[in-house]
Amino acid sequence: MTSAHGFTGPLPPSRFNMAAYTIGRPAARQPSKPALVVLDTPDGDPAETWTFAGIEDAVLRIAAGLADRGLRPGDRIMLRLEASSRYPLMFFGAIAGGFVPLPTSTHLTPPEAAFLMEDSGAAAVVLADDNRDMVLPAGVMRLLPEEVSRLIRHPRRASWADTAKDDPAYLIYTSGTTSKPKGVLHGHRAVWGRRPMYEGWYGIRASDRMLHAGAFNWTYTLGTGLTDPWANGATALIYAGEKTPEAWPRIIRHNRATIFAAVPSLYRQILKYAMPDRAAFGSDFRHGLIAGETPPAGLFAEWRAATGFELYEALGMSELSTYVSSAPGVPRRDGFVGRPQPGRSLAVLPLDGGEEPLPPGEEGLLAAHASDPGLMLGYWRRPEEEAAVRRGPWFIGGDLAMIDADGYVAHRGRANDIMKALGYRVAPQEVEAAIALHPDVAEVACAEVQVRADVSVIGAFIVARDAARPPAPAAIIAFASERLAPYKCPRKVVVVDTLPRTANGKLKRAALATLRR
């Protein structure tokens, strides 16, 4: 329910280490139980299987190895690794030692990676083979895959770092209100702040086998696919092979997955291409989880009709992870995401300012109480952006919403222009800044464009320098792909005569999607 009195759940102890909570506790209780299973074929033997004791040993050796190489607690370590167990081992190994990992994608272009490295002040960069020649500033440590393998076997084991709950644990970058991403710094308490999800979204048990469809570098995977199953003593399954829609029911059935997490569009693809029934998922499967983008309205009914299983939706943000959801104990209502997870304090605030929550049924800005242990420590070196999202005791993430009298939350979209692509948040300004460098582009504006009832893509609207010889859409897409990660690139390019603007010259971004040449 909404509350102006702050987070009502139990709070973390003052001395607290995120990796010790996630890995150390289950390793002490059930050391030989499988913690991580890495799959590279839909129905073959696992490529890797790690027990809780094995994961604990690896991360503590990594923590010791990083310290022995001269890194100091609080140093940022940028991760650009391939989809293998090395990614989560380095992520949690850094946290175990009091360092601050920065998970990123191997698909970032050199300018994107260079910006994150410089902005974060990274002391070390961990590189996959494809990125091993990345240019690093003097004094930044380069750790290649073979070095990661040596760290996992380091002769010395560290103890869990004696960190405070508010000490920095990890840093992630998300789209900001400018053309550059902004860093979101989380404390060790962030993992404690995920506890409301256990029953408020997952309905998770120690006996569960959680399969996540995402890559290791995605924070949705690192959180939902690894951190939360491990914290509950459950087994995490990650598939690193060729990801086709038809493969997922086979993976679930063959590996006895009980819960499957993915973006909504993947469920729609599974329905279309795999055409599954209930038997396709095996006898162990219980339900699916969706987050990362707004689901098409008919998805829930279509999935239930075809498979007999439920989908539970969650709304979240990089600054807090998920905080509103349906769950096995929270029935879904059409038009609503779900309810605030247990202990969380949410409100809807007026669009034009003020700290007093609106009454049920009124639409405004969705806000979370700043006492929530899952809330970020702050934006990295962006005090002006942080000030803009604080109203007294409330944090405003930019979502428009309405909360009804029963506490159910209806999401009404974004108050700003952030686009969603493949589950990632992408600032249109970042895409525009890249495309504007094209010599044949006079003006460019980007927006999310719905191409089918259930599919939205990033659209780029171009005004050519020479109207008689406009650039080809394929050339714009190719140009953008040299400067942006694949998920940030436009999938649709429209050449227009002018961009829609207000009388004072401000871009009318909401009108872009209606433009046609």
Side-chain angles (χ1 to χ4, degrees):
M1 296 293 291
T2 59
S3 168
H5 302 296
F7 184 80
T8 59
L11 296 173
S14 59
R15 308 304 299 180
F16 185 76
N17 183 276
M18 174 177 166
Y21 176 86
T22 304
I23 298 166
R25 293 180 312 115
R29 293 196 301 262
Q30 45 193 6
S32 61
K33 181 178 179 177
L36 173 64
V37 179
V38 182
L39 311 162
D40 57 8
T41 60
D43 40 24
D45 293 333
E48 300 179 65
T49 299
W50 290 79
T51 65
F52 278 106
I55 294 240
E56 179 185 55
D57 185 70
V59 300
L60 290 177
R61 291 186 188 280
I62 288 170
L66 293 173
D68 290 348
R69 282 157 178 77
L71 293 172
R72 298 171 298 178
D75 279 347
R76 275 77 61 207
I77 302 174
M78 183 175 175
L79 305 181
R80 296 194 71 197
L81 282 167
E82 74 291 344
S84 78
S85 61
R86 284 193 285 245
Y87 211 117
L89 293 178
M90 283 300 304
F91 179 78
F92 285 102
I95 294 172
F99 312 106
V100 182
L102 163 58
T104 69
S105 170
T106 57
H107 297 301
L108 295 176
T109 63
E112 290 173 313
F115 169 77
L116 296 186
M117 181 177 58
E118 179 181 356
D119 190 73
S120 67
V125 181
V126 187
L127 296 164
D129 280 324
D130 291 346
N131 309 123
R132 64 169 51 235
D133 295 328
M134 178 180 174
V135 177
L136 305 183
V140 176
M141 186 182 301
R142 183 189 306 268
L143 296 172
L144 299 174
E146 55 269 25
E147 179 68 8
V148 174
S149 296
R150 286 194 288 270
L151 286 170
I152 292 170
R153 301 188 302 270
H154 191 69
R156 184 175 73 86
R157 269 176 56 133
S159 299
W160 303 107
D162 181 23
T163 48
K165 63 181 175 66
D166 289 325
D167 284 344
Y170 63 96
L171 177 65
I172 55 177
Y173 275 77
T174 186
S175 294
T177 56
T178 67
S179 63
K180 295 295 185 182
K182 62 186 175 188
V184 177
L185 185 64
H186 277 284
H188 285 266
R189 59 176 164 78
V191 68
W192 188 279
R194 301 183 66 87
R195 287 160 55 110
M197 301 181 207
Y198 299 168
E199 290 304 320
W201 185 25
Y202 303 122
I204 198 167
R205 311 164 184 165
S207 58
D208 275 320
R209 292 169 65 84
M210 167 78 78
L211 173 65
H212 200 291
F216 277 110
N217 66 279
W218 196 10
T219 52
Y220 183 17
T221 311
L222 287 170
T224 301
L226 296 169
T227 300
D228 298 331
W230 289 350
N232 285 277
T235 300
L237 311 173
I238 300 292
Y239 178 59
E242 183 181 0
K243 295 180 177 180
T244 63
E246 299 90 337
W248 293 108
R250 295 166 55 196
I251 297 166
I252 291 169
R253 183 178 65 253
H254 183 75
N255 295 281
R256 297 179 294 107
T258 58
I259 302 175
F260 178 52
V263 293
S265 56
L266 180 54
Y267 285 96
R268 176 56 62 85
Q269 292 169 5
I270 293 170
L271 287 173
K272 180 177 180 179
Y273 296 104
M275 295 180 288
D277 57 12
R278 188 178 186 91
F281 298 93
S283 59
D284 296 292
F285 188 64
R286 292 197 289 120
H287 55 255
L289 306 175
I290 57 174
E293 60 189 16
T294 302
L299 177 61
F300 298 93
E302 292 172 25
W303 182 265
R304 189 185 305 111
T307 70
F309 294 109
E310 295 292 337
L311 293 179
Y312 298 115
E313 181 186 2
L315 174 68
M317 53 186 166
S318 300
E319 295 87 345
L320 183 57
S321 196
T322 75
Y323 55 104
V324 175
S325 48
S326 56
V330 182
R332 183 179 178 277
R333 290 184 181 178
D334 287 342
F336 293 86
V337 177
R339 300 180 67 183
Q341 293 163 353
R344 302 208 192 273
S345 176
L346 303 184
V348 172
L349 302 183
L351 287 170
D352 54 359
E355 302 173 16
E356 187 66 28
L358 294 171
E362 292 197 22
E363 184 176 304
L365 289 168
L366 186 60
H369 202 277
S371 60
D372 197 307
L375 187 63
M376 66 173 184
L377 297 176
Y379 291 125
W380 179 256
R381 296 175 177 171
R382 300 283 186 92
E384 71 289 349
E385 293 212 30
E386 187 163 350
V389 297
R390 301 278 185 170
R391 278 197 207 169
W394 299 104
F395 175 85
I396 303 168
D399 289 296
L400 293 171
M402 179 273 288
I403 302 179
D404 73 5
D406 295 326
Y408 273 79
V409 179
H411 186 230
R412 304 300 198 204
R414 297 288 299 171
N416 57 23
D417 300 315
I418 294 294
M419 304 177 291
K420 281 286 184 75
L422 303 178
Y424 293 90
R425 292 176 65 191
V426 181
Q429 295 90 345
E430 186 178 5
V431 184
E432 291 161 1
I435 295 175
L437 299 173
H438 193 288
D440 296 329
V441 172
E443 290 184 280
V444 56
C446 294
E448 191 172 335
V449 177
Q450 191 170 42
V451 294
R452 294 202 305 271
D454 59 331
V455 177
S456 294
V457 300
I458 293 176
F461 298 84
I462 304 295
V463 177
R465 291 191 181 279
D466 183 353
R469 300 177 61 185
I476 296 297
I477 293 172
F479 185 84
S481 68
E482 296 173 0
R483 293 158 177 80
L484 297 168
Y487 64 85
K488 299 179 185 176
C489 289
R491 301 296 180 91
K492 183 178 181 65
V493 175
V494 179
V495 180
V496 297
D497 295 326
T498 60
L499 295 177
R501 297 188 181 278
T502 63
N504 61 7
K506 185 177 180 180
L507 177 69
K508 295 167 65 177
R509 197 179 298 278
L512 288 172
T514 64
L515 295 180
R516 295 291 185 271
R517 175 74 181 197

